[in-house]
Amino acid sequence: MATQDELAHEDSVATFYKIQNCDENGEYRANKYNRALGTAFLPPAAHVPALPATAPLDDLVAAVAAHGAVVLKGAIPVGDVAAFRAAHDAALAELKPLKDELYARRAAAERRGEASESFYKGELRAPSGLRLRTTARGRFDLKHLDRRDGPGGPLAAAVEPLVLPPACRALLQRLMATPWRVKTVGSLPTDAGASGGEWHRDIGEGPCEGLWGEELDLRLPDYYFNALVPLGAASPEAGTEILLGSHAVGRDGVADLARAVAAAGAGDVVFFNGKCVHRGRPNAAEARRDLAYVVYAAKWFEQGRDPAAELPAYASTAPP
């Protein structure tokens, strides 16, 4: 059972994310995309363009510029992914009591009619310092896994080869118009039978739906990119669904864009612009589906980080 301190922390987290994910009128931000796009999960009509991670950099840059996303095939040695998966499985086994508690809290919130009021419905912190959140039924967010922000140990050592593969570093150096750094390293465990996620962009938070509102944020030089690293074989029906080209299109135009699933497996990286409208698809398989994720952002995006704690290996090393 949770302690009073844990319950108080849970309430503060839920309140924080409820505020952050509602607009100035109190409407949950995903509702606006849901009205434009619907909530049904249709059979995928397309796949995110895929290129070898060793393809000419100009080709990789062109794919991201045109579509907002690219699957980098063979970006990470499969053995490194397998080593991280083993460490990740061990960590999740230790966190099972937290997962069970979060399942119970989400069920209670849904019974109260609060199923869609906050992107995050709960967060618990393990004695190790790892933070586990639930984002939808059966969907979780585990962080921080890296040696800079996480508790260290075998998990941090195992995730290191996944943090900044050479192809990602090269793309960031070309696509970012400003010095950048690794912002967050985590994972997205998705249990068998988990529901799908909701449409959203990863550009800031709060009532402005971005740093300064969607229209202005889309015109800003690119400042936020994501890398998803599947830990196992991909299903063509599952994975992350991205609206191709949505990094340059406002909410009123996204319904006309192609919906593509990122078909990627162990060793591949799904690299995409945080301005893209995207969501996680349901996990209809009989086994858990896991992704590691890395967020890269302009250094100005996240204020308050102690410069002395930065790692040169996690940041740009040359002018853009």
Side-chain angles (χ1 to χ4, degrees):
M1 294 294 293
T3 67
Q4 289 300 313
D5 286 345
E6 288 172 334
L7 290 171
H9 175 71
E10 156 66 14
D11 288 341
S12 68
V13 169
T15 300
F16 172 79
Y17 281 106
K18 181 175 180 178
I19 294 170
Q20 292 295 304
N21 287 283
C22 291
D23 66 12
E24 65 275 14
N25 299 314
E27 182 178 21
Y28 182 46
R29 65 176 182 172
N31 290 350
K32 298 176 181 180
Y33 291 110
N34 290 342
R35 283 198 294 270
L37 298 166
T39 58
F41 288 90
L42 306 174
H47 288 101
V48 174
L51 290 168
T54 55
L57 181 57
D58 286 348
D59 293 350
L60 301 179
V61 169
V64 178
H67 305 291
V70 66
V71 176
L72 302 170
K73 304 295 290 184
I76 302 170
V78 173
D80 289 341
V81 177
F84 172 72
R85 180 175 183 173
H88 186 254
D89 286 347
L92 287 179
E94 294 181 2
L95 294 172
K96 186 179 184 304
L98 273 66
K99 283 185 67 177
D100 291 344
E101 178 71 17
L102 289 172
Y103 264 117
R105 295 187 188 189
R106 171 167 284 279
E110 291 178 352
R111 287 195 296 271
R112 296 193 298 268
E114 299 174 3
S116 297
E117 292 190 1
S118 178
F119 185 73
Y120 291 110
K121 297 303 297 184
E123 176 185 294
L124 291 173
R125 188 184 299 267
S128 65
L130 290 173
R131 292 160 53 190
L132 186 68
R133 293 172 174 171
T134 175
T135 61
R137 188 183 297 107
R139 307 181 74 90
F140 296 89
D141 182 353
L142 176 64
K143 63 183 183 183
H144 297 273
L145 307 186
D146 58 286
R147 59 191 172 99
R148 183 192 62 190
D149 296 334
L155 195 60
V159 81
E160 192 67 18
L162 283 59
V163 171
L164 195 51
C168 292
R169 178 181 283 278
L171 276 168
L172 291 165
Q173 198 60 31
R174 283 281 296 273
L175 294 168
M176 287 274 205
T178 182
W180 52 268
R181 64 178 162 211
V182 171
K183 180 181 181 292
T184 308
V185 180
S187 70
L188 300 172
T190 305
D191 285 347
S195 61
E198 297 186 279
W199 294 112
H200 65 285
R201 302 184 197 263
D202 291 336
I203 49 172
E205 298 172 324
C208 288
E209 296 181 88
L211 295 175
W212 295 286
E214 182 184 71
E215 181 180 357
L216 179 56
D217 272 27
L218 292 181
R219 297 205 309 264
L220 287 175
D222 293 327
Y223 62 88
Y224 194 111
F225 288 87
N226 295 317
L228 304 180
V229 183
L231 303 189
S235 163
E237 298 290 329
T240 301
E241 187 173 9
I242 300 174
L243 298 185
L244 297 182
S246 57
H247 62 303
V249 177
R251 188 171 59 246
D252 291 342
V254 295
D256 298 326
L257 300 177
R259 303 183 182 198
V261 172
D268 302 335
V269 172
V270 182
F271 183 91
F272 65 100
N273 194 320
K275 296 176 183 178
C276 287
V277 178
H278 62 285
R279 63 179 178 175
R281 290 176 65 86
N283 183 12
E286 296 180 357
R288 196 181 69 233
R289 183 181 74 218
D290 294 337
L291 293 170
Y293 73 87
V294 186
V295 176
Y296 312 103
K299 287 188 175 181
W300 57 257
F301 176 77
E302 186 183 25
Q303 303 299 321
R305 186 180 282 279
D306 180 3
E310 288 292 350
L311 297 178
Y314 281 14
S316 53
T317 55

